Amino acid sequence: QETDQETDQETNQETDQETDQETNQETDQETEGNFTWCFKHWMVPIMEVIAFILQVGALVAIPILLALKQDGYTNSDKNYLTLYILLPVTLSVLSLMWSGWLQKFFVEAGSRRTTVTQEECIARSKAGLISSFCKVLVIPFVAYGYANLLLEIDLQFNSENFRWTGLELSTFLTHVLVSFVAYLFVWMAAALQSWAFFIPLLLSTPISFVWYVGSVENSRVFPFLDGYFVDWNLEFVVLLVASLLWMSQVLAFGYYVFQSSDSVLTNDADLFWTPRYNGVFLEQYMILNRKTPITGYYAEQIDSDPYKVVNIAKDSHIFICSTMYHENEVEMKQMLTSINRVAMPSATESEDNHKYESHIFFDNACSGEQLNQWVMQLLGLLKGTLNIDPERVTKLCTPYGMQLKYKSRGNMPFYVHLKDNSKVKNKKRWSQVMYMNYVLNYRIRYSEIPKDKAFILTTDADIDFNSDSVVALLDILARDPGVGAVCARTHPLGSGPVVWYQTFDYAIGHWFQKAAEHILGCVLCCPGCFSVFRVSAIKKVLDTYSSSVETGFDFLTKDMGEDRWLCTLLIQKGWRLEYSAVSQDSTFCPESFEEFYKQRRRWVPSTIANLAEVISSYHQITSNNNSISILFILYEFLLVFSTLISPATVILIIVTGLTALDEGLSDVAMIVVLCIISVLYGTLCVYATEKTQIDVAKVLTLIFSIIMAVVISGILTDTISSAIEGDPINHVNETSNNFRFPVDISAVYSGVFAATFTIAGILHFNEIFCLFHFIWYLLCLPSGYLFLTIYSACNINNRSWGTREGANPSSGNKSNSWMDYFFGKWHSLRAFFWRCIGRQPRSKDQDLPPPAPTVTEHIVSRLVPEPKLSKDVEDWLNRIECEMYADNFEREGYTELDFIALMKMSDIVAIGVDKRGFQLKLEKEVKKLNTPELVASGVPRDVLTWLDKIKLGQYKDLFKLEGYCTDEDVENLKGLSRAELQSIGITRRAHLNQLLMRLRYLQYPTDIEIQTNKTRMELENAPTLYLSEVAENSEESRQEYDFWLNLAEDKLKPESANLGKVEELKEKLRNLRNLCLLVLLLTNIMWIVFLYTLVFPQLTKYNLPDRAFSLFFLGIFSVIILIQFIAMIFHRFVTLVHLLARTKLKNKRLEANWFRPSDVDTISRAQY
């Protein structure tokens, strides 16, 4: 009672505090609103009237000043007309033509739309170029006519007046250059923040004038100071007029300038009316050209149009959709902590009003109503990460499995969707199909969420990110409605040489490849680990993305590369994809050699297949997508070709380094040897098991890493020696007149290559540490580009996912120790030896003689009762029409469904099920049963209690006879083998399997396992609802039930392996593999032959040494690196602008979106 009272008091206090805060906020908002209304409707009109009076007064004062300065001019009526009338009229006409309402009339041409399409943005740019070109042509003629007709100045080409002095020409060119640079910076400032645009423009004119007035004569800054413009006798009047003009400008725009859009990276079309450059009166022109409320741009539409950029940027609905399978505790905790960062109300201290909701789609997570250990592990982490009590859950049985609903911090909806693989298709792509359809066809359709303000944040289950990274991606989507998706900079996590290799690989992939795609055309892949997709873009491709696999090529593009496939569809529909380096995230990468090779085995073929799809559909893409040109398609073709010839490239690099060390080595012989090794490894990959392929790849990686160390030493030695000797060309005819390179070509290439990566590292100064892993990248070059390419091509027909398939909960990505690996190889070699001499190899249990039976069959029959089928097993056998095998199940001890759930096909055959049809039926039905928990639940109090718990209490007397009865005997159970259990008297197959499985998990549980068991008990106390029953009383639930039922039936229904097209698909994949291997082999052979028969002989004309011939093949890669390097520089500028736009000055402290590793990131690094 006291606890309840304290809880009620705390709840009431929190409620009162929240109510007080809401009341205070509402009062402050009302007060602020009243002040704003009064200021807008009373003070602003008064300031506009005052500004108008000051401007009229200044225009009247200008002719008076010119009249007072009349003594310096000749008496001419035309000059008087110019001085007194034409200049004020010109200023007035300029103000009129630059006024916002007139520009709005010309630009919009009567259209009431406030949004600007991508095509209109491109048209604006083209119109700006055309108008600027016309101005360049027209203005000189207008000036010529003005000078001749009004000023009577002779500007003939041979006259003295036409020829400028050096001072006048330099001043004019300086004005043009500085004005244009200022225009660019003003445009950039407008895209950042309002104050960065308006304050410099408002202050530049008075500061320049004060500087001019205060300058001394003959100043280099103002060369025409001595009475050229101003009569210093009228200095007071000039200052007064200038002040009047400036004050009118401040009063006219002082309020409106800060009411403009302050969204980050606003599009040019939403910033300015016309994209023209004007060097005359630059400040005034830019202020008037800016879209502000004074032009009516924001006065009416800004509050009513929810699709304006400023509203999308600050008021969006983001669905965080994550796919999960068999991640470990650290990975799950990292993702949940990241979600918690965006769920907290104080995640962003800006005016953004983003709404988040999280959905986790868990593959193979439940069987019926029983949840597996990975789900329990996830739910056990909710309390510590999201402050969610697992028991405060809504459990729903759905057509796809189960759904768990929670509320996290900040009242963010948190859903866990548990897929039952017997009801819906497994694997990641179908999980994506589920959440995309769920968001589009249910959440948005039956809610008040505008489609154009809804976004999907896709994440992996081990991702680490923060709210700033999400908002940075939304900036780009809000800026350009033609952008369909944006990806971030991903950092790999982990430790070990394999991770070091990937650290550099990820770095150059983002520094060069992603940046080049962003600048040159369009990013081709926004990975599902961390990217934001526009819901309206997904809607156009979802039906195609949900299509089934028909051919082998479909399998590569759709199932092996689902992220690239989705992005390819978006590109074909005309959407632009971008990359933001301001947004950062981290994810765990493979730490073992096996997992790395299996992961890249999926990535490499799927990447090539999707690039081939893009290239083959170039006509459709270039027609629909304005971001992609034929030149970009050619660039991607160059990338595909360079990937195909990467094995030949590695071979030639090795030959180059070895011949540099010893010129006596035959390069042709070495090429032949390396080609033979490559072909032999490819043959092995075709016929051997995947484990054997990877084991051989490990050995080859070690050997070729040593060779690469020798190669690097040879190239460096050759480069240094040629530089020191000063005669880079050693094998030339001194009498030859042919052209000679001044330095060694290998030295040039090595220097440029090193400088390129060094500059890239400097430009990415917070990631420069990645360059330290370059040495690992070079050493593993043969493994990554020779053997991995061959391995990937040979395993195209491998349909397994490869990673996380055998993972255990609560364990990291650690591979087996080297001792386990060594002893495993020893047993394999020993078994091979026994087979060679014609004897059967002995198993581990056969190394020692089996123990003699200690219990006779008579004692067993007396102490152990005969097993009897439970009611559940009888009903199960009757339901699947296998009741004729009831005696078989009973005889072998399969009397409980928990025992049957562990059965394999070998067990089904062993109990006497001899008919193939019943074997397949039983195997299929067994997979549908709830698998018993395989986690450590703690060390039992004694052996007898433990036997009762695992439903084998009938053997307690036998264990007593063997001396296993007290609590001290529990640890002695751990080492029991199958033979020893049989000697005790346990002979039934089901009981042996159950005991061996339980003995394996007989150990002290970890903290997470304790929490998992606690979570399971809490979850069991929560009631289970059925969506079909809830739908009868709730319209919303009925809509959801109908949605899931239709989706599961139309798109997600699992296909039978026997009735489906699995065998046909396997045959198609084998044919595709053979074709790819043939293309890979012929392409590399022809490339080597081409270089040695056609290219290298031609290079001898330039007296290049033999050792430089092998470097010519790097020409293609040099072109690619050069293109990517130039694009990277442009992208760094774009990143700088974005970073400055997201930088805010608060409380005298500069806050920027720098990437800071989280606490869980530090913990995970320490644990790994």
Side-chain angles (χ1 to χ4, degrees):
Q1 290 177 354
E2 292 177 356
T3 304
D4 294 339
Q5 291 177 358
E6 293 176 357
T7 304
D8 294 338
Q9 291 177 358
E10 293 176 357
T11 304
N12 294 332
Q13 291 177 357
E14 293 177 355
T15 304
D16 295 339
Q17 292 176 358
E18 293 177 356
T19 304
D20 294 339
Q21 291 177 357
E22 293 177 356
T23 303
N24 295 333
Q25 290 178 358
E26 292 177 358
T27 304
D28 295 339
Q29 291 176 357
E30 291 179 359
T31 304
E32 183 179 357
N34 294 332
F35 175 78
T36 303
W37 187 90
C38 294
F39 187 85
K40 180 178 180 180
H41 290 81
W42 291 95
M43 295 299 297
V44 172
I46 294 175
M47 289 190 298
E48 291 177 350
V49 172
I50 296 175
F52 177 75
I53 295 173
L54 293 176
Q55 290 171 3
V56 172
L59 291 177
V60 173
I62 290 176
I64 297 175
L65 287 175
L66 294 175
L68 295 176
K69 192 175 168 58
Q70 176 59 31
D71 295 339
Y73 294 90
T74 60
N75 294 325
S76 173
D77 295 338
K78 294 182 179 179
N79 285 340
Y80 278 110
L81 178 64
T82 301
L83 296 175
Y84 294 163
I85 301 176
L86 193 57
L87 185 57
V89 171
T90 302
L91 293 177
S92 302
V93 172
L94 277 179
S95 300
L96 178 65
M97 296 303 299
W98 291 349
S99 62
W101 64 269
L102 191 59
Q103 293 193 72
K104 177 183 178 182
F105 174 78
F106 287 125
V107 171
E108 294 187 353
S111 175
R112 295 184 178 181
R113 288 187 301 105
T114 57
T115 56
V116 181
T117 63
Q118 185 180 13
E119 291 77 8
E120 290 172 339
C121 292
I122 297 175
R124 281 170 51 87
S125 301
K126 293 180 179 179
L129 290 175
I130 295 174
S131 63
S132 299
F133 181 74
C134 294
K135 287 171 62 177
V136 170
L137 295 178
V138 172
I139 287 179
F141 294 98
V142 175
Y144 180 82
Y146 171 80
N148 279 275
L149 298 177
L150 298 180
L151 300 181
E152 296 184 347
I153 298 176
D154 184 13
L155 289 181
Q156 300 298 326
F157 289 102
N158 57 357
S159 67
E160 294 294 333
N161 294 328
F162 188 78
R163 296 195 179 112
W164 287 354
T165 63
L167 178 62
E168 293 169 332
L169 180 60
S170 61
T171 303
F172 174 76
L173 294 179
T174 301
H175 168 74
V176 172
L177 178 62
V178 173
S179 297
F180 183 71
V181 174
Y183 169 79
L184 295 179
F185 275 93
V186 167
W187 174 86
M188 186 176 70
L192 299 179
Q193 299 180 23
S194 296
W195 64 268
F197 172 79
F198 287 108
I199 290 181
L201 289 179
L202 291 176
L203 296 181
S204 59
T205 298
I207 291 176
S208 300
F209 191 80
V210 171
W211 190 5
Y212 174 75
V213 172
S215 299
V216 298
E217 297 182 3
N218 300 322
S219 172
R220 292 184 178 181
V221 179
F222 299 103
F224 311 117
L225 183 67
D226 188 14
Y228 198 90
F229 293 114
V230 179
D231 186 353
W232 297 114
N233 296 325
L234 305 173
E235 179 177 351
F236 174 77
V237 180
V238 172
L239 290 176
L240 178 61
V241 173
S243 300
L244 291 176
L245 285 173
W246 184 75
M247 284 299 299
S248 65
Q249 180 176 291
V250 173
L251 291 175
F253 290 94
Y255 169 74
Y256 293 109
V257 293
F258 293 102
Q259 298 298 316
S260 303
S261 170
D262 198 23
S263 59
V264 178
L265 298 182
T266 307
N267 201 320
D268 173 79
D270 292 320
L271 290 173
F272 300 104
W273 289 110
T274 56
R276 300 190 186 97
Y277 163 71
N278 195 325
V280 179
F281 298 114
L282 177 65
E283 305 94 308
Q284 290 74 22
Y285 171 74
M286 295 301 294
I287 291 178
L288 289 172
N289 194 27
R290 179 75 158 87
K291 292 182 177 181
T292 60
I294 199 173
T295 63
Y297 183 66
Y298 289 97
E300 299 176 357
Q301 293 94 346
I302 191 65
D303 295 328
S304 60
D305 188 358
Y307 305 123
K308 289 304 299 177
V309 171
V310 63
N311 285 331
I312 295 177
K314 296 185 177 182
D315 187 12
S316 305
H317 199 106
I318 299 97
F319 298 89
I320 306 175
C321 298
S322 311
T323 56
M324 188 171 287
Y325 183 44
H326 286 172
E327 282 72 19
N328 60 62
E329 172 197 356
V330 176
E331 295 169 339
M332 289 182 178
K333 186 175 182 181
Q334 179 166 274
M335 185 202 67
L336 293 176
T337 304
S338 301
I339 294 176
N340 181 61
R341 297 192 191 109
V342 301
M344 296 176 64
S346 59
T348 55
E349 298 180 1
S350 63
E351 298 177 356
D352 298 342
N353 188 28
H354 302 306
K355 299 178 180 63
Y356 295 91
E357 62 178 77
S358 178
H359 297 267
I360 296 178
F361 284 77
F362 218 126
D363 222 330
N364 195 22
C366 65
S367 179
E369 297 182 15
Q370 183 173 1
L371 314 183
N372 64 23
Q373 59 267 36
W374 284 278
V375 177
M376 291 295 109
Q377 178 178 272
L378 172 70
L379 300 181
L381 296 170
L382 296 182
K383 180 67 175 178
T385 55
L386 293 171
N387 196 25
I388 294 176
D389 293 327
E391 66 272 12
R392 301 181 63 181
V393 60
T394 302
K395 286 196 304 183
L396 282 175
C397 288
T398 63
Y400 63 84
M402 290 195 69
Q403 183 184 108
L404 307 179
K405 295 182 181 181
Y406 298 93
K407 285 286 186 179
S408 69
R409 292 178 181 177
N411 206 31
M412 183 190 76
F414 183 81
Y415 296 77
V416 181
H417 304 266
L418 308 177
K419 292 172 59 178
D420 188 339
N421 285 3
S422 64
K423 297 180 179 180
V424 293
K425 293 179 180 179
N426 63 337
K427 291 193 176 181
K428 181 180 179 181
R429 182 163 75 101
W430 298 111
S431 296
Q432 293 177 330
V433 170
M434 287 179 65
Y435 67 64
M436 289 176 184
N437 276 281
Y438 179 69
V439 171
L440 271 167
N441 300 324
Y442 174 71
R443 289 290 292 114
I444 293 180
R445 175 177 294 182
Y446 298 109
S447 63
E448 297 180 356
I449 304 173
K451 183 175 59 177
D452 289 344
K453 295 175 63 176
F455 304 92
I456 295 179
L457 170 62
T458 63
T459 74
D460 280 350
D462 59 350
I463 200 70
D464 180 24
F465 62 93
N466 54 38
S467 58
D468 289 336
S469 296
V470 180
V471 176
L473 298 181
L474 292 175
D475 291 339
I476 298 177
L477 289 165
R479 177 198 63 190
D480 188 355
V483 175
V486 188
C487 62
R489 167 67 166 102
T490 301
H491 299 266
L493 295 178
S495 61
V498 178
V499 177
W500 301 339
Y501 174 89
Q502 292 175 90
T503 299
F504 185 80
D505 188 46
Y506 273 64
I508 62 175
H510 287 85
W511 294 357
F512 292 97
Q513 178 109 13
K514 289 284 187 189
E517 291 178 349
H518 177 97
I519 296 298
L520 300 177
C522 173
V523 173
L524 298 183
C525 178
C526 290
C529 66
F530 187 73
S531 297
V532 176
F533 290 82
R534 192 185 300 273
V535 168
S536 56
I538 292 178
K539 183 178 180 61
K540 296 185 178 181
V541 301
L542 185 54
D543 290 338
T544 307
Y545 185 69
S546 306
S547 60
S548 300
V549 171
E550 299 292 338
T551 64
F553 188 80
D554 285 348
F555 174 77
L556 295 182
T557 55
K558 296 180 180 180
D559 284 354
M560 289 289 101
E562 65 285 337
D563 297 332
R564 277 193 173 270
W565 169 239
L566 176 62
C567 294
T568 300
L569 294 177
L570 291 174
I571 292 170
Q572 290 176 341
K573 291 296 184 180
W575 293 95
R576 173 175 169 80
L577 313 182
E578 295 194 3
Y579 158 60
S580 173
V582 175
S583 178
Q584 310 267 335
D585 66 274
S586 299
T587 183
F588 284 98
C589 65
E591 292 186 340
S592 65
F593 188 90
E594 295 89 342
E595 193 173 5
F596 172 73
Y597 254 54
K598 291 179 180 178
Q599 181 194 68
R600 296 305 170 98
R601 182 250 295 165
R602 300 195 319 268
W603 287 8
V604 173
S606 65
T607 300
I608 299 297
N610 278 280
L611 286 177
E613 175 70 19
V614 171
I615 295 172
S616 63
S617 59
Y618 75 94
H619 183 72
Q620 173 191 357
I621 292 177
T622 53
S623 300
N624 296 339
N625 200 314
N626 295 316
S627 301
I628 296 181
S629 63
I630 191 65
L631 294 177
F632 181 75
I633 297 296
L634 293 176
Y635 164 75
E636 293 299 331
F637 176 79
L638 201 62
L639 286 179
V640 173
F641 181 73
S642 65
T643 303
L644 289 178
I645 64 172
S646 59
T649 302
V650 174
I651 290 175
L652 292 176
I653 288 177
I654 295 174
V655 172
T656 300
L658 295 179
T659 54
L661 282 177
D662 187 356
E663 296 183 359
L665 295 175
S666 172
D667 51 355
V668 176
M670 285 187 293
I671 289 176
V672 172
V673 171
L674 292 174
C675 288
I676 291 175
I677 294 175
S678 302
V679 172
L680 290 176
Y681 179 69
T683 305
L684 175 73
C685 291
V686 172
Y687 295 102
T689 62
E690 188 174 20
K691 185 177 184 303
T692 304
Q693 299 172 35
I694 295 179
D695 290 342
V696 174
K698 286 182 183 178
V699 177
L700 292 175
T701 298
L702 177 61
I703 295 174
F704 276 81
S705 295
I706 299 174
I707 295 176
M708 278 302 299
V710 177
V711 168
I712 295 171
S713 301
I715 295 177
L716 291 178
T717 302
D718 186 58
T719 301
I720 295 173
S721 62
S722 64
I724 295 176
E725 292 173 1
D727 185 16
I729 309 301
N730 299 322
H731 306 286
V732 296
N733 187 358
E734 297 296 336
T735 62
S736 174
N737 294 325
N738 292 338
F739 173 77
R740 293 179 53 171
F741 285 96
V743 293
D744 186 65
I745 188 66
S746 60
V748 172
Y749 186 85
S750 301
V752 173
F753 190 75
T756 299
F757 284 98
T758 303
I759 295 174
I762 294 173
L763 292 177
H764 299 80
F765 57 92
N766 58 330
E767 303 174 19
I768 196 171
F769 68 91
C770 297
L771 294 179
F772 295 110
H773 300 298
F774 181 49
I775 183 63
W776 297 103
Y777 192 81
L778 283 180
L779 293 178
C780 296
L781 208 62
S783 179
Y785 289 89
L786 175 60
F787 301 118
L788 180 58
T789 303
I790 297 173
Y791 169 78
S792 301
C794 294
N795 286 274
I796 286 178
N797 59 326
N798 190 338
R799 299 173 61 246
S800 64
W801 194 252
T803 55
R804 302 189 188 276
E805 290 182 336
N808 291 322
S810 307
S811 64
N813 294 332
K814 297 180 180 180
S815 59
N816 295 331
S817 66
W818 67 271
M819 293 184 64
D820 294 336
Y821 178 78
F822 174 78
F823 283 113
K825 294 301 176 186
W826 165 251
H827 287 298
S828 299
L829 290 174
R830 189 182 63 172
F832 178 75
F833 171 75
W834 284 110
R835 293 191 188 95
C836 290
I837 63 176
R839 296 176 57 183
Q840 289 293 329
R842 295 186 299 174
S843 64
K844 184 177 179 180
D845 292 336
Q846 290 174 334
D847 290 341
L848 297 175
T854 58
V855 181
T856 64
E857 294 183 2
H858 175 69
I859 296 177
V860 172
S861 62
R862 183 169 57 86
L863 296 179
V864 181
E866 287 294 327
K868 186 177 181 180
L869 293 180
S870 65
K871 185 66 167 57
D872 294 336
V873 174
E874 290 180 353
D875 295 340
W876 180 74
L877 289 174
N878 292 330
R879 181 173 57 83
I880 64 175
E881 298 180 355
C882 292
E883 62 274 4
M884 72 287 297
Y885 294 107
D887 293 339
N888 303 64
F889 278 83
E890 189 175 77
R891 183 173 59 252
E892 290 297 330
Y894 290 101
T895 57
E896 300 289 341
L897 289 179
D898 287 348
F899 300 164
I900 297 177
L902 299 176
M903 294 183 73
K904 301 178 181 178
M905 177 58 79
S906 58
D907 298 319
I908 296 174
V909 175
I911 66 174
V913 180
D914 51 356
K915 291 182 172 56
R916 182 62 177 170
F918 286 107
Q919 290 175 357
L920 296 175
K921 179 187 290 189
L922 285 169
E923 182 185 29
K924 181 179 179 181
E925 294 297 329
V926 165
K927 292 180 180 179
K928 297 180 180 180
L929 295 177
N930 298 330
T931 305
E933 280 305 307
L934 303 179
V935 294
S937 57
V939 177
R941 184 178 57 203
D942 55 61
V943 176
L944 306 182
T945 304
W946 177 69
L947 289 173
D948 287 330
K949 184 178 180 181
I950 64 174
K951 300 180 181 180
L952 292 176
Q954 63 268 33
Y955 292 108
K956 289 193 290 186
D957 293 336
L958 293 181
F959 274 86
K960 285 181 182 180
L961 290 177
E962 288 295 317
Y964 300 105
C965 54
T966 65
D967 54 350
E968 297 178 354
D969 299 325
V970 172
E971 65 176 303
N972 298 330
L973 294 174
K974 188 66 176 174
L976 291 177
S977 64
R978 177 180 290 269
E980 289 171 335
L981 290 174
Q982 289 174 341
S983 68
I984 294 176
I986 304 173
T987 57
R988 291 183 171 86
R989 192 178 189 87
H991 299 166
L992 279 172
N993 292 339
Q994 175 77 349
L995 277 170
L996 289 172
M997 184 270 294
R998 293 296 181 180
L999 287 173
R1000 191 183 311 154
Y1001 290 93
L1002 185 63
Q1003 60 190 19
Y1004 289 106
T1006 61
D1007 293 339
I1008 186 61
E1009 288 172 341
I1010 294 174
Q1011 181 62 40
T1012 298
N1013 293 327
K1014 181 181 177 182
T1015 302
R1016 180 177 297 279
M1017 291 185 292
E1018 293 174 346
L1019 194 63
E1020 289 176 353
N1021 296 329
T1024 301
L1025 305 176
Y1026 293 87
L1027 188 58
S1028 58
E1029 298 177 358
V1030 178
E1032 297 177 358
N1033 302 320
S1034 172
E1035 178 63 21
E1036 181 180 357
S1037 299
R1038 187 191 63 79
Q1039 293 170 350
E1040 183 177 6
Y1041 177 75
D1042 293 340
F1043 162 76
W1044 284 120
L1045 189 64
N1046 295 330
L1047 181 64
E1049 184 67 25
D1050 297 340
K1051 302 289 185 182
L1052 306 175
K1053 188 175 181 180
E1055 295 180 354
S1056 172
N1058 296 325
L1059 299 179
K1061 299 181 180 180
V1062 176
E1063 293 300 327
E1064 181 182 351
L1065 179 60
K1066 289 180 180 179
E1067 182 63 26
K1068 291 179 179 179
L1069 287 173
R1070 280 192 293 267
N1071 295 334
L1072 180 62
R1073 179 200 62 185
N1074 297 336
L1075 178 62
C1076 292
L1077 287 176
L1078 181 62
V1079 171
L1080 184 66
L1081 177 64
L1082 293 179
T1083 302
N1084 284 272
I1085 292 177
M1086 292 175 63
W1087 179 246
I1088 295 175
V1089 171
F1090 168 75
L1091 292 179
Y1092 268 84
T1093 58
L1094 297 178
V1095 178
F1096 292 164
Q1098 296 297 323
L1099 294 179
T1100 56
K1101 298 179 180 179
Y1102 299 100
N1103 298 322
L1104 287 174
D1106 294 339
R1107 64 177 179 270
F1109 288 170
S1110 298
L1111 288 174
F1112 180 79
F1113 67 92
L1114 293 172
I1116 292 180
F1117 295 91
S1118 302
V1119 172
I1120 293 175
I1121 289 295
L1122 177 62
I1123 295 173
Q1124 293 178 346
F1125 180 76
I1126 296 174
M1128 179 203 64
I1129 295 176
F1130 281 95
H1131 190 267
R1132 293 314 293 168
F1133 176 76
V1134 173
T1135 302
L1136 176 62
V1137 172
H1138 192 181
L1139 185 63
L1140 292 176
R1142 291 228 56 84
T1143 303
K1144 297 181 180 181
L1145 190 64
K1146 294 182 178 180
N1147 299 326
K1148 298 182 180 180
R1149 181 167 61 90
L1150 193 65
E1151 295 183 353
N1153 183 30
W1154 300 108
F1155 179 70
R1156 298 177 294 274
S1158 60
D1159 295 336
V1160 68
D1161 194 343
T1162 307
I1163 294 173
S1164 62
R1165 291 178 185 270
Q1167 291 183 354
Y1168 279 79

